[in-house]
Amino acid sequence: MKKSEITNNIRTLRFFAQEMTQQVLAEKAGVSRQTIIAIEAGKYSPSLELAFRIAEVFGVQITEVFGYEAKGGDK
């Protein structure tokens, strides 16, 4: 069974937000730059609260930042 994953559009959103840096996003979301790097790379899934804070920074709905991809296996 393949693992499901949370996807994100953070890099794209940063680009369209006047090329916001990871550091600026981290400061606005209240986390470290390393956390943003890990989330962008898909190596870390943020808490629900952090996911909402990131969406708020960009002024978009959470579903415009994060997605969920179910991979194979039984439901």
Side-chain angles (χ1 to χ4, degrees):
M1 173 173 22
K2 292 185 179 179
K3 183 178 170 186
S4 298
E5 67 179 312
I6 293 178
T7 60
N8 72 77
N9 297 311
I10 294 174
R11 182 167 290 158
T12 301
L13 288 164
R14 286 193 305 105
F15 177 80
F16 287 111
Q18 301 174 349
E19 298 186 19
M20 179 187 296
T21 65
Q22 291 170 327
Q23 183 63 45
V24 169
L25 175 56
E27 290 169 4
K28 290 183 177 202
V31 295
S32 69
R33 180 172 166 264
Q34 288 74 22
T35 299
I36 297 300
I37 290 168
I39 294 169
E40 269 191 21
K43 295 181 179 181
Y44 174 74
S45 295
S47 67
L48 188 55
E49 179 183 353
L50 177 53
F52 274 108
R53 285 199 317 257
I54 291 170
E56 185 175 42
V57 168
F58 292 115
V60 299
Q61 295 294 314
I62 194 169
T63 54
E64 292 182 55
V65 183
F66 296 98
Y68 177 77
E69 290 185 13
K71 304 275 187 175
D74 297 325
K75 290 185 179 183

